[in-house]
Structure formats: C-alpha cells, structure tokens
Amino acid sequence: MSEHRRKPPQPQGGGRAAARRGQSASSGRRAAPRGATGSLSETYSAGGEESSYEGRAASRRAAQRSTGVGPGGGRRRAAEPAGRGPGRSRGRAAPPGKQRFIDYPRAGRYGAMRWVPSWRQVTGLFIGFFGCLVAAAGIGYAVVAVPDPAQAATAQNNVYYWSDGSQMVATGGEVNRQIIAYEKIPKAMRYAVMSAENKTFETDSGVDPMGIARAVVNMAKGGQTQGGSTITQQYVKNAMLDDQSQTLSRKVKELFISVKVGASVDKDEIMRGYLNTAYFGRGAYGLQAAARTYFGTDAEKLNPSQCAFLAAVLKGATYYDPAGATAIDPAATSEANTKRATERWGWILNEMVKDKHLSAAEAAKYPNFPKIQPPRSNAQLGGQIGYLVDTAKGYILNNTDITQKQLEQGGYEIHTTFDKKKVKELEKAVTKVRKENIKPDLRPKTDTHVQFGGASVNPKSGAIEAIYGGEDATKHFTNNADVTGAQVGSVFKPYVLAAAMTWGKRDPDLDPDQAQDERTIVSPKSLYSGKNNLKIRDYNGDIWTNEEGKEWLQANDGDESYGSPPKYQIDLREAMRVSANSPYVQLGMDVGLDRVKEAAMEAGLKEGSLTGTGFPSFSIGISDPSAIRMAGSYATFAASGKQNEPFSVKTVEYEGLTRFDHDDIAEPKRAFTSEVADNVTDVLKTVVDEGTGTSAQLAGREVAGKTGTTDGNKSAWFVGYTPQLSTAISMYRMDDDESNKNRTFLEMYGTGGQETIHGASFPAEIWHDYMEDALKGQPAEDFPEPEPIGVIVNEEPDPTPTPTVTESEEESPEPSPSPTESEILPSPTPSETCRNPFNPTCEETGGNDTGGTETGGIDGGVTASPSESEDDSRGNQNGGLFGGNDG
C-alpha cells in the first residue's frame, strides 16, 4: 500500500470498544471523524504519539460531554480512554499504584461507602476472631489445673496486736476444718444441697453460661459481684484460695477450671470437694467442722433435718446462723436470722420431697426446726480476747475493702487500738464488783443473769482503748460493749442541754415554721419546773397527749418534786445534778425533739439506736446505744465539741503491704462549739462533785459524768470522762440463754442486796475503780473554763404587783380541778402568771400518769415505754459503731 494511503493510527488498548470498531471496519461502515466527537481519542498527535493519561474520571466526563453526530446521521460513541489493556471488562479502571493486602477503606468507593466492609471482609474477620477465641480457650483449658480440696483446706492465721505492738492473739483459718471421705457424707446432705442449689447437678456440664453472663454484666455495670450458680462452679470458687478478687480475669479463669472440672472429674469427687471446702459460718470450713460446730456430732451422723439446715446456712452464714451476726450487719439479729433459717430449712425439706430425694413420711418425722447449739470460740479467744477480736473484725469489715471470706482465710496482721493494761484493769474492776456483790447462789431470784458492759475511748483521737464484753467470750456470746438493747436513761440528758445551747428554744408566740427560725439560746441557769407528775406541753403551750388522748404527766424518780412551791422551779444545772426528769422533758419539747435527736447524732450516736423520737420521754433516754457509742459521744464533750469517730483498728497489713490505715480516713468534725461543749462539761462536773455521781470522784482529777437508771429498774449506767479518757459502764439483767429467742430485760430490785440499782451504785463504783488504775501515772488535766452562754429562760422578772396565791391554794392536798380555758390560754393581764406553763395554778396533779416512771431512785428513771406498738416498732436494736457493731 502506498505511503499516502497508510491507515491512520489506532488507539491503544483493546476491549469491547476496539472489537466493535473492528467489526464496523470489516462491515464497511465508515467511522466518524475523531474531531467530531471531542473525545479523548484525540490525544494522539499527527505524529501518532500518545499524550499523558488523564485518568478514569476524566474519561467518564469526556464521554458524558460527547454530543457530536457523524456524517452518517448516527450518534457517535465516545472513545475508550487510554490505558485500558486488552481483556479488561467494561467498567472502572484500576487506580494507579500498588494494590493493598487489605482493601480498607475500600478503593473505588466514595463517601460513606468507602468505610462499609465487603461481605468477604466481614466473613474473614469473624472467622479470624472465632479462631483466636478457640485457640485462647484451648490454651486456657490446657493451662489451668483442677483444684485439690486438701490444698484448699489450708489457711493462715490472722495476728492481732495490742496498741503497743505486742502480739495479742494469732487466730484464723487454721482451725475448725477437716477433710472427710465421700462415703462419710450423708446422702441426705448431698441431696439437700442439690435440691437447694443445683437440681441438675448429676447431669449438667458443671457450668451455667447464663449465670456467668449475668455475673459479667453485673460487674461491668459496677453492681454487686455474683458467684457461679452450679455446685461445680461454687466448688471451684471455694478452692481458688490464691485469688479471691472479683475481677473479669478471675471469672474467666474460674470458668475454664469449671469446664475442665466438669469434663474430667467425677461428680462424686466434685460434691466431696465442695462440701469439704464450703464455709458454713462460725469459722467452720467443711461439713465435718460444721456438724461439730452446730450440732456437736460427726457429719456421718447428721439426720435429714440437720442436713437441710446446713444446706440453708450455705446461702450465707451471716444471715442464716440463728446466733446472729450483728458485728457484720445490724440486720443479722438472732431473731431475724432464726426466721430466715427456719423458712429456708422448711423449703429445702419440701424440695427434697418434690425431687424424690426424701419421702414424705421421712420428712414428716422432722416437724420442728433442729436444735442448734450456741457458738463456741476456741480457747485462745477466752476472757476478753474474743470480744476484742470480734470488735476489730467488725470494724475491718465495715471500713475496709477486705471481705469476710478473705479475713477468714487469714494472713493478715491487724494492729488494734486496745491498751492491754486498760483492758485488764477494766475486767478486774468488773470482776471485783461481781464477786463482792452478785450472789446467784444466795439470791437466785435477783442475782441471776446479771450483765455488765463497758468501753473506754480516747477523746483526742477516738481510739477505743478498752472494752468489757462479758465474763468470757467462750461462754457468754453477746458482746456487752456492743449493742445489747439496754436503755440508757438519764445519761441521755446532756444531749438535750447541748441542743438547747446550740439551737435554742422555740418562740411560743410564732407559728411552727417561724418558731424554727426564731429561737432563744438557753443558758444552764434557765429555770424549769421540777414538779413531779408535771403536765408536759408542746412549745406553744398545748398540753401533750398520748395516742389515746390522755394528758402526758411526767414523773420524777421516786415521785419527788424539786424546787420550792408553788412553781417548783430549779435551774438546769440543779436539775442535772439531782437528775430530775420533768425539767429536761419539758426542755426537750421547747427545743424540739428533732433538734435533740440531731444533737445526739452530732455527739456520735447512731440514728438506728435512737428510739421513740416522737415522744416526750425521748429526752430522758428510752434509746439503747452501745457502751462504745456512749463513751465516744461523751468524749465529744471532753474534746470541747470535736467529735472523733470511735475506731478499734489502726492498720491492717497483708504480705508486707498495708491494706488499711486509719489515718487515711480519720476525719474529726466539729460537732458543737467549744462554748456549748464546755458548758455541758461544767454542768456534768456538778453531778460528780455534789450530785448523784459523787461515788465516781477521782482524787486530784476533774471528772464530769452522769448517772442513769431506766424504767422498771432494768438497766443502770454511769458515763463519765476526764480530759484524757471517756468511759461508759452499763449494768442490766437479761436471760442469756441463746436458745431463748424472746429474751427480755429483768428488773433489778434486790439485785446485789440493794433495794434498787442506780447508775450511782455498781456502775459508778466500777467506773471509779477502773479509771483510778487506767489513769495512774498520767498527769491530771483540768477542763477548759466555760464561757457564759445563752439567756436565762423563765427568769423571775423584777418585783411587780402580782396576784397573791392564797395559803389554801398552796397547801391544799387535794388535786387541783381540771384546767379551765383561762388557765390554759395566756391571760390578757400581763402580770398574770398562768401564761407560764409551769405555774402549778394552771395545772392539775391528778389524772392518769401516761409518761411517768414506775420506780424510784436517785438518778431520774426513764418514763415508761410510750406504747407496746412503739416498743415493737424499734426493730433491730442497732446503736453500734456501724449501725449494729461498735469499734
């Protein structure tokens, strides 16, 4: 072919477009001139050289712009862009550059679609994750070891130290545990556990996935941790003594072990391991120890009823041991625990019958709850040591992150605040009084069941330096320094005085809302009626009535009136000295019982111990705080109003590391101003110097304190302090039979050969003897001089003409007639004295005594309980340091 007829250069590349062009050429169709289309095929020059590649996007835009029509009248197709090699499918051109191993974000996609993985990527990711999970599970399964119940049975001692650093006692998990063979475990025990906790135990795989998922989710939410629900999981948990942390990693490890145990260990061995490592309470690990602890027999001799009880205790000994565990939780009283245990015991027996593990005839042989023997401490915990250890344990459990189970497994060094010398001196003082005066053989009707309790607190720090919990912790199981339910009586009156000097009395001329704001600070020189059977009025003058609508008449101890007739007025200092009830009951009403309650709590009492806050008698001690709390609250006055929370543990160490340091949480607060606290102390000094507490005087030392005797002569107290030490002593009678769930306080008429027992008698004598020795060698310190405070309420005005009370009115032995309206309401004449609610001409002395004491005595007894319903509504008697436990 000649040169001038040479074929024009063809575009590079192939594909379907080139094929179509070839077909067109072969069919004789004439292609349109390239210039008519405006396509990128014109990138070729006359010389046939190719221009630079402009990319797929440019090609697409050029094709969209193409509108030219060829000479033949047909629409021309845009030329394919350069760079498309032969064999490429019609579509997008591959971007330049090296291809990625993982195409993410995805090339060739735009906007949000670039981040949407393809189905291949999703599938690959799932397979990879699942494969890694299987591999990790396989490794975990291979690495974990099946626990050995014999190794799980070992535990270390906890070592307790006195405040001077010397060792007090070493006790802990090394005692009260014995591994027994499967054959010695009664069938009834195995079936009781299965019916109560894991009905499918004999057939399941040992793992409850749903239970584990719930536990993990709960931990992730920050909720309470949960344990495994199958017997296998619980056994594994019990046996993992090396790590008791509630973490996700531990739960995963526990899961692997449970799976391996369920697959490789016989069910009999799992049941044996579980019952040999489970904690049954009272320091008993394993079934054999539990059988000896609760029933005094060997495990193989347990009957179905006893087995059902032990299975119930496994749910949580704190709340199912009939002996109670108020040291851990104030709600775990003996009564409440007995009720819970009885209900669960009966339920388990019924479940055993339903599951065909026990016949109905056999179950019918046990209609009554089994008899449980009282707890026994080991010999190391005899005397006061057991009470000290219990107090320290309670403090740790309520103030640290150390759990009960961790503490029971041992290994901790616990440094307490207890002063060895003071503990011995307090025990010696109580023993002396008991031996010299309490003769149960001689006076069985009056001298049996006599109990003493005591506690001593350092005002400057709040450290509990001594307690007296009872004769012997291995024989008497209630810690008398802790909550006992004994009412405190007149030792409560200083809180009323503190409230009156802090917030003041309300204005009777104002409505209740205004009266809360408009108050008059009360001076200890204020005058109140000391009249016996005083008609108590609300702050606005309304006569107080009980729920039956009867007027409340407040009696004094011994039915004695104080002060001179006709008004019988005495100041508050004198009323405290002679322990008159009526002035402080009326003062409490004037101030407001809510403020009295607040003052008691500010001083250091727990709200749960404050009973009858809606009754006038609240002001004279129908509440039942513990001896530790009473000593601690009086220490607030000794420290000029600075309140330190009582504590019994300074530090806790584990494997050389400090797990707890009291200094990290010590936060003393200002409860009262120094003016208020020092004036309370000055008034209480009068009680000891020349009042009901003279038997507590210490040679060469200033002492402030208060006596207290309660309704029916059922308890007596003396609480007193020096600047260095505050001590509370209680005395009461209560049947100490632990199996008697309806224990009541007994009267103390004739106890110790005395007609009645008062705080000024044996309690004050014990206080005196102890404090003399406890403070020996310490220099005497004086209390701060109080500054004058408040105004004199009810002070006699300057002499002005006033109506004269006739001699017949003053000396009439007959009860006054019922008050008329003019006697109750303020007189329009300013000089009339009937406005004063304590003017005897405005009151009658007859009527029902709904608020008076039933007994005599010199400390001002407590009024009778408001009502049976009020007394019953008190519930748990929890006035301890932690709402049920002190120290």
Side-chain angles (χ1 to χ4, degrees), residues 312-332:
V313 172
L314 284 173
K315 187 173 177 66
T318 297
Y319 301 101
Y320 289 88
D321 181 355
T326 54
I328 300 172
D329 189 335

Side-chain angles (χ1 to χ4, degrees), residues 282 321-324 333-339 369 372 374-375 735 737-744:
R282 300 189 183 182
D321 181 355
T333 63
S334 175
E335 292 77 8
N337 281 15
T338 299
K339 181 180 179 181
F369 189 69
I372 311 298
D735 187 352
D737 181 3
E738 297 290 340
S739 64
N740 180 4
K741 303 308 175 185
N742 297 313
R743 289 174 291 173
T744 57

Side-chain angles (χ1 to χ4, degrees), residues 523-528 569-576 583-584:
S523 165
K525 297 180 180 179
S526 296
L527 300 173
Y528 273 82
Q569 285 188 326
I570 60 174
D571 65 31
L572 295 176
R573 179 187 297 274
E574 178 68 7
M576 188 76 76
Y584 278 92

Side-chain angles (χ1 to χ4, degrees), residues 119 191 303 885:
W119 68 269
Y191 290 139
N303 62 44
N885 173 71

Side-chain angles (χ1 to χ4, degrees), residues 266-525:
D266 185 77
K267 291 289 185 180
D268 292 352
E269 282 301 307
I270 294 175
M271 178 63 75
R272 171 180 175 268
Y274 173 56
L275 291 177
N276 275 323
T277 58
Y279 180 63
F280 289 85
R282 300 189 183 182
Y285 285 88
L287 181 62
Q288 174 64 14
R292 300 299 307 177
T293 297
Y294 288 97
F295 301 110
T297 187
D298 291 324
E300 59 185 333
K301 297 179 181 179
L302 294 170
N303 62 44
S305 176
Q306 294 170 329
C307 291
F309 166 76
L310 292 178
V313 172
L314 284 173
K315 187 173 177 66
T318 297
Y319 301 101
Y320 289 88
D321 181 355
T326 54
I328 300 172
D329 189 335
T333 63
S334 175
E335 292 77 8
N337 281 15
T338 299
K339 181 180 179 181
R340 281 188 286 260
T342 301
E343 290 175 352
R344 187 163 177 82
W345 162 81
W347 175 80
I348 292 174
L349 283 177
N350 290 334
E351 290 299 303
M352 292 174 68
V353 174
K354 290 180 182 179
D355 298 337
K356 301 187 184 304
H357 296 319
L358 185 69
S359 68
E362 183 69 12
K365 295 179 181 179
Y366 307 102
N368 299 320
F369 189 69
K371 184 177 180 180
I372 311 298
Q373 67 181 16
R376 300 288 175 183
S377 302
N378 67 57
Q380 289 180 294
L381 301 179
Q384 298 304 304
I385 300 299
Y387 303 124
L388 299 174
V389 168
D390 286 345
T391 302
K393 279 184 179 179
Y395 185 84
I396 292 170
L397 295 175
N398 285 279
N399 291 274
T400 76
D401 59 357
I402 301 170
T403 67
Q404 180 183 3
K405 187 166 187 177
Q406 289 173 331
L407 195 61
E408 287 160 352
Q409 288 161 358
Y412 293 90
E413 294 186 3
I414 300 162
H415 296 265
T416 74
T417 61
F418 302 125
D419 185 298
K420 186 176 182 179
K421 175 179 177 291
K422 289 185 174 69
V423 170
K424 289 184 176 180
E425 295 295 350
L426 181 54
E427 183 178 28
K428 184 177 72 173
V430 175
T431 302
K432 174 178 175 289
V433 167
R434 178 181 290 277
K435 287 184 176 181
E436 291 178 355
N437 301 280
I438 309 303
K439 310 288 185 182
D441 294 334
L442 180 63
R443 295 181 290 268
K445 292 184 178 181
T446 59
D447 285 19
T448 54
H449 310 302
V450 176
Q451 296 295 330
F452 295 94
S456 209
V457 173
N458 187 318
K460 295 180 175 63
S461 65
I464 304 172
E465 297 190 345
I467 64 170
Y468 179 84
E471 290 185 80
D472 192 319
T474 63
K475 299 176 182 178
H476 172 75
F477 311 111
T478 301
N479 185 352
N480 295 346
D482 203 345
V483 180
T484 61
Q487 295 179 346
V488 295
S490 291
V491 296
F492 198 84
K493 290 174 183 174
Y495 310 127
V496 184
L497 181 60
M501 292 190 294
T502 300
W503 293 286
K505 70 181 294 289
R506 295 172 289 187
D507 190 335
D509 295 327
L510 301 177
D511 61 53
D513 292 335
Q514 290 179 301
Q516 288 292 348
D517 300 325
E518 300 293 333
R519 291 171 172 267
T520 301
I521 300 300
V522 177
S523 165
K525 297 180 180 179

